[in-house]
Amino acid sequence: DAEAAPNAHLQDFDLIICRNVFIYFRTAAIAAVVKNFYEMLQPGGYLITGHTELWEQDLSRFEIRSYPESLVYRRPTAADSAWSTEPVNPEQACLRTAVTLFRLRAFDQAVQQVETLLKLQPENFDALCLMAQLKVKTGQLETAVQYCYRAANLEALSVIPHYVLAQIFKHRGDTASAKRALKKIICLEPTSVAAYVELSAVYRQEGNPSKSVKMERLALSLLRQLPVGTRILELDTLTVDELLLKL
C-alpha cells in the first residue's frame, strides 16, 4: 500500500534504488512512495531513480545532486540544516530541479518544471531566463525572444537575457540585431570576454576583418588578466588557456 506508513523494520537505509518503477504509478501513488522513501532513509542517505521519473513531484525535502545521466536525491542531515543559511522553498526546489534537467538535456521535463514555477511567480527572473534558453533548445525562437524581453524588463542591468538574444539573432543570420545585443552586454559589463569574442565572430561573418580583429584583441587583453584555469561559462565553459589557443 503506497499510502501506508513505512514499515517500522524498514528504516535507516543508506541507499534506496528504484529505477523504472514509478513509470507504472499514478502521480498520487508516486508522491506517497517518495514520502515513505524519505522517511526510510537515514539522514545523509540517498534515493536513486530514473532521472526523469520524479520530474513533477515535490522534492523540496531532498537535496538534489546531478551526475551524468542521473539525478540523485539525498536526505539532508541535521548538520546540513545547521550550516545552511539559505532558505529552501518549493519554488527554489522547482528551479533547481529544472536547471538539473536542463543540464541533462531533459528539456521537455525542464519546461514543465519552469511552467509550474512561473504560474506561482510570473516575474521570477531566473525562471524566465531558463525558459528562454529552453525554448532555444527546442527550436521555439520567437517564444524565446519574448521570454528574454520579459526578463530584461525585470532586471535591466543583467546581461543574461542579452546573451540569449545574441545567440538567437546569430542563428537567424540577423547580424545587426546580434551586434546590438552584444554591444548592450559590453555597455553593462565592459569586461565580458564572451561578448567581445562573439562580436568578433559577427564582424568576421559580415566581412569586416578590421573590426573583427579589434574585438579579438580586446578579448585577448581581458583574457590575459584572468587566471589560466578560469572558465568562460558563456563560451561552452572553455578555460582561459583553451580560449587563448583558439584565438
Side-chain angles (χ1 to χ4, degrees), residues 143-182:
T143 307
V145 169
Q146 296 308 311
Y147 277 107
C148 286
Y149 287 141
R150 284 175 62 184
N153 287 336
L154 284 176
E155 293 197 17
L157 299 180
S158 174
V159 300
I160 298 172
H162 302 291
Y163 272 118
V164 182
L165 284 170
Q167 297 306 312
I168 293 170
F169 295 140
K170 279 182 60 182
H171 181 77
R172 288 175 173 174
D174 184 353
T175 57
S177 295
K179 283 190 296 184
R180 281 196 296 271
L182 291 166

Side-chain angles (χ1 to χ4, degrees), residues 91 95 99 114 117-118 120-133 144 146-165 188:
E91 291 80 13
L95 183 61
V99 170
V114 181
L117 176 51
L118 288 174
L120 300 171
Q121 297 180 342
E123 296 191 344
N124 186 304
F125 174 78
D126 292 330
L128 290 170
C129 288
L130 181 56
M131 185 64 94
Q133 294 175 72
Q146 296 308 311
Y147 277 107
C148 286
Y149 287 141
R150 284 175 62 184
N153 287 336
L154 284 176
E155 293 197 17
L157 299 180
S158 174
V159 300
I160 298 172
H162 302 291
Y163 272 118
V164 182
L165 284 170
L188 293 170

Side-chain angles (χ1 to χ4, degrees), residues 108-121:
D108 291 340
Q109 291 84 355
V111 166
Q112 294 285 347
Q113 289 285 333
V114 181
E115 285 177 343
T116 299
L117 176 51
L118 288 174
K119 287 178 183 177
L120 300 171
Q121 297 180 342

